[in-house]
């Protein structure tokens, strides 16, 4: 009898797994279960072009419907998976259906971290994770509205950039003392702070939102003992891994579903890929990555593991963010204690910060600087020793260092 | 609607209607043209949508931005007619454009 692979989660990792399974010659049947009513789609444009109304919904879909029919993958959409029965090797859906599997891939992704303060239920308080979230937000995204953004991370800042250009009055409340604190170096934070302020965004640091004000409608945001008026709020304070279905089935979880570097859980029939995984990074330090790159690469490795060709996952993580005319490209992961080397001039809106560790590049953050990003990413992968003086010297082209 | 002709590495041709305003990459991906990954979805962040533009068309395309130029500098098997297909926006003037896709993007 032919093998049946079931995928829970219809996002970037799930779609990639189908492509890779068929690419690896898997001939059994595939079923993918997704909670949202849509074909797998790209999330990055949601806070950018889709919010701006510059991208129609159908352009978000990763693959056309014919891809799934050609791949003979059955899609069960708009239904969440409820549980895994590892003994019977089947999953249960919330509508009561039972689907048997031979191998199971968990690509369950993440969900937004809710803000837990008084009046957080008010309908003018938005999150941004799905098509539905943006459709709701866009309906009230009108010039002149006062938008309070809770959280100065990627989501909050990408929305701030779109909103201020659209004529909204934007204020960002950040609990830490700088923007994108988890993701970038202080120099890059400072540069983005300046760019946002210049565009008209107001930013408050060290300001934890304590309460939303209002009765039937949102009227304001109280933070650090002070109240600011607001018509709409967007909360972007991170995400939580959808790990409960794994945990309830007795699989190991720890800020994500625990997998080895071949995407295997401790059940030989169950694998996991994407944002939901707690996995050994290329430096063998367990971590969770929220990125397109990780979803794609881990799904490729999961497909290999499921067809019996497990290979180690050791790709260099990469990320990007578009805000205004600024393209931020990041490769690798910085750590406290890394030496930061600046190349180029932030005032020219084109520069990079390299993170050096033990004489090698550990990470690069590049703003409108693709050479620095690409060469940096290559050097990280190769573990190449670099000369900090040369890296900082703009008269030496990046290409000649490669 | 402008028609774009994609020729894959096995010389198989596919003529595809691509709406104006879409990128050449989107036309390829939505129609399952092989050889294009487009991991970043068109943000000019990954260089996995590299194509070769028919020389007769090279001049008629909008010029490369610095970002595209640099991303291409580091792509594999780059030729003078290489482009990132996510950066070519389809217009009526590009009706009949011919591009070749590589075997794969790595």
């Amino acid at each position: 009898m032919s093998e049946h692979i079931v995928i829970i989660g219809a996002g970037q990792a799930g779609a990639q797994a189908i492509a890779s399974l068929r690419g690896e010659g898997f001939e059994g049947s595939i079923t993918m279960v997704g909670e949202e009513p849509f074909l797998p789609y790209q999330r990055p444009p949601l806070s950018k072009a889709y919010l701006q109304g510059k991208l129609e919904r159908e352009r978000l879909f990763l693959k056309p419907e014919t891809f799934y029919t050609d791949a003979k993958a059955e899609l069960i959409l708009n239904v969440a998976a409820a549980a895994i029965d590892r003994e019977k090797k089947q999953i249960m859906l919330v509508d009561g259906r039972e689907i048997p599997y031979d191998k199971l891939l968990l690509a369950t992704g993440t969900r937004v971290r809710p803000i837990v303060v008084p009046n957080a239920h008010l309908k003018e308080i938005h999150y941004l994770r799905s098509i539905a979230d943006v459709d709701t937000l866009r309906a009230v995204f009108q010039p002149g509205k006062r938008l309070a953004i809770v959280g100065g991370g990627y989501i909050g800042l990408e929305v701030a950039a779109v909103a201020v250009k659209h004529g909204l009055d934007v204020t960002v409340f950040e609990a830490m003392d700088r923007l994108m604190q988890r993701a970038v170096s202080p120099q890059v934070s400072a540069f983005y702070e300046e760019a946002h302020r210049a565009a008209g965004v107001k930013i408050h640091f060290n300001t934890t939102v304590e309460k939303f004000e209002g009765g039937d409608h949102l009227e304001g945001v109280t933070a650090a003992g002070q109240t600011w008026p607001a018509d709409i709020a967007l909360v972007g304070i991170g995400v939580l891994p959808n790990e409960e279905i794994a945990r309830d089935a007795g699989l190991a979880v720890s800020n994500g579903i625990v997998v080895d570097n071949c995407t295997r859980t401790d059940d030989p029939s169950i694998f996991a890929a994407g944002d939901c995984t707690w996995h050994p990074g290329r430096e063998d330090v367990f971590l969770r990555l929220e990125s397109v790159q990780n979803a794609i690469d881990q799904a490729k490795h999961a497909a290999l593991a499921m067809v019996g060709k497990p290979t180690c996952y050791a790709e260099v993580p990469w990320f990007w963010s578009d805000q205004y005319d600024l393209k931020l490209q990041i490769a690798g992961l910085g750590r406290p204690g890394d030496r930061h080397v600046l190349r180029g001039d932030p005032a020219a809106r084109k520069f990079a910060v390299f993170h050096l560790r033990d004489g090698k590049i550990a990470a690069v953050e590049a703003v409108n600087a693709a050479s620095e990003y690409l060469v940096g990413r290559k050097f990280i992968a190769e573990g190449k020793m670099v000369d900090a003086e040369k890296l900082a010297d703009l008269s030496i082209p990046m290409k000649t260092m490669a | 609607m402008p028609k774009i002709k994609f020729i894959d590495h096995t010389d198989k041709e596919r003529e595809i209607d691509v709406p104006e305003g879409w990128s050449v990459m989107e036309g390829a991906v939505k129609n399952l043209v092989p050889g294009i990954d487009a991991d970043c979805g068109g943000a000019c962040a990954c260089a996995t949508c590299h194509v070769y533009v028919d020389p007769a068309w090279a001049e008629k395309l909008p010029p490369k931005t610095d970002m595209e130029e640099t991303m291409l500098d580091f792509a594999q098997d780059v030729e003078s007619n290489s482009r990132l297909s996510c950066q070519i926006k389809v217009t009526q003037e590009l009706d009949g454009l011919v591009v070749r896709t590589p075997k794969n993007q790595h």
Side-chain angles (χ1 to χ4, degrees), chain A residues 50-373:
Chain A
Y50 188 66
L51 178 61
Q52 284 175 289
K54 284 191 182 165
L55 200 67
E56 306 87 320
R57 181 185 288 173
E58 63 162 317
R59 293 172 71 184
L60 291 174
F61 299 125
L62 287 163
K63 312 260 187 203
E65 197 158 7
T66 48
F67 163 78
Y68 304 97
T69 41
D70 290 358
K72 297 191 173 55
E74 184 196 5
L75 299 193
I76 302 178
L77 300 176
N78 214 3
V79 188
I84 304 166
D85 184 334
R86 289 165 58 192
E87 214 153 283
K88 289 190 188 158
K89 289 184 88 169
Q90 63 180 26
I91 65 164
M92 276 74 73
L93 307 187
V94 290
D95 63 7
R97 263 183 284 181
E98 292 172 345
I99 304 172
Y101 66 83
D102 294 301
K103 295 208 172 79
L104 176 64
L105 174 64
L106 304 174
T108 52
T110 59
R111 61 182 180 275
V112 294
R113 179 190 295 276
I115 187 166
V116 186
V117 297
N119 291 327
H121 64 280
L122 291 172
K123 67 177 187 305
E124 292 84 6
I125 298 167
H126 298 261
Y127 292 86
L128 199 158
R129 174 84 194 150
S130 65
I131 286 179
D133 291 339
V134 183
D135 289 348
T136 315
L137 177 60
R138 217 160 49 176
V140 296
F141 216 64
Q142 290 143 3
K145 286 263 177 86
R146 293 165 300 185
L147 170 66
I149 295 181
V150 185
Y154 287 133
I155 290 288
L157 296 178
E158 289 179 355
V159 171
V162 173
V164 80
K165 288 281 163 209
H166 194 60
L168 283 83
D169 177 5
V170 184
T171 308
V172 174
F173 298 91
E174 168 55 48
M176 309 301 286
D177 60 2
R178 61 186 178 92
L179 297 176
M180 300 184 282
Q181 186 261 347
R182 282 197 311 149
V184 302
S185 61
Q187 274 167 312
V188 172
S189 293
F191 173 79
Y192 275 86
E193 179 187 342
E194 176 57 33
H196 280 280
R197 289 201 199 274
V201 175
K202 285 159 274 183
I203 305 170
H204 300 289
F205 291 113
N206 303 307
T207 309
T208 302
V209 170
E210 291 144 11
K211 190 184 176 195
F212 291 107
E213 304 295 337
D216 293 340
H217 297 283
L218 177 69
E219 288 166 12
V221 173
T222 297
Q226 203 183 329
T227 299
W228 285 267
D231 305 305
I232 326 168
L234 173 87
V235 180
I237 54 170
V239 293
L240 301 168
N242 291 324
E243 62 186 12
E244 291 76 6
I245 196 167
R247 183 197 63 202
D248 294 347
L251 295 167
V253 298
S254 169
N255 182 25
I257 301 165
V258 178
V259 292
D260 67 8
N261 50 18
C262 300
T263 75
R264 298 175 290 205
T265 68
D266 41 24
D267 181 323
S269 303
I270 306 182
F271 304 77
D275 285 15
C276 66
T277 67
W278 181 246
H279 65 274
R282 54 199 304 278
E283 291 153 35
D284 266 332
V285 177
F286 271 81
L287 53 89
R288 201 164 57 72
L289 289 172
E290 297 152 13
S291 72
V292 165
Q293 170 273 324
N294 182 54
I296 290 175
D297 287 329
Q298 259 190 337
K300 289 179 180 172
H301 287 272
L304 285 165
M306 287 190 287
V307 300
K309 295 189 270 187
T311 51
C312 282
Y313 168 69
E315 275 80 353
V316 176
W318 55 267
F319 314 85
W320 81 93
S321 176
D322 293 320
Q323 298 168 38
Y324 310 107
D325 59 342
L326 304 169
K327 180 171 293 293
L328 173 62
Q329 294 169 295
I330 300 177
L333 297 168
R335 264 193 228 155
D338 290 346
R339 176 179 172 198
H340 295 166
V341 174
L342 175 68
R343 177 181 168 89
D345 179 7
R349 297 170 84 79
K350 181 177 162 75
F351 70 100
V353 175
F354 292 95
H355 296 234
L356 302 193
R357 198 183 304 152
D358 306 326
K360 298 171 188 169
I361 300 177
V364 54
E365 299 155 8
V367 177
N368 293 341
S371 295
E372 282 72 7
Y373 163 70

Side-chain angles (χ1 to χ4, degrees), chain A residues 12 16 42 55-56 58-64 66-67 70 292 296 300 318 320 322 327 329 368-371 373-375 377 399 402, chain B residues 19-23 26 29-32 36-48 66-67 70-75 89 106:
Chain A
Q12 186 103 39
Q16 181 65 48
Q42 313 170 59
L55 200 67
E56 306 87 320
E58 63 162 317
R59 293 172 71 184
L60 291 174
F61 299 125
L62 287 163
K63 312 260 187 203
T66 48
F67 163 78
D70 290 358
V292 165
I296 290 175
K300 289 179 180 172
W318 55 267
W320 81 93
D322 293 320
K327 180 171 293 293
Q329 294 169 295
N368 293 341
S371 295
Y373 163 70
L374 287 165
V375 175
R377 185 168 137 188
K399 243 197 139 165
Chain B
E20 282 186 71
W22 286 31
S23 68
E26 287 180 283
V29 167
K30 305 288 182 214
N31 290 282
L32 303 177
I36 291 183
D37 295 341
D39 286 348
C40 76
C44 197
C46 69
T48 61
D66 283 353
M67 184 65 74
T70 314
M71 296 296 284
L72 272 171
D73 265 352
F74 294 92
K89 195 183 255 198
H106 301 289

Side-chain angles (χ1 to χ4, degrees), chain B residues 70-101:
Chain B
T70 314
M71 296 296 284
L72 272 171
D73 265 352
F74 294 92
Q76 304 269 310
D77 305 319
V78 176
E79 306 285 344
S80 57
N81 58 338
S82 288
R83 292 294 302 255
L84 293 181
S85 55
C86 74
Q87 299 300 302
I88 309 172
K89 195 183 255 198
V90 174
T91 57
Q92 204 53 53
E93 288 71 51
L94 295 190
D95 186 24
L97 174 69
V98 181
V99 301
R100 282 183 168 268
T101 56

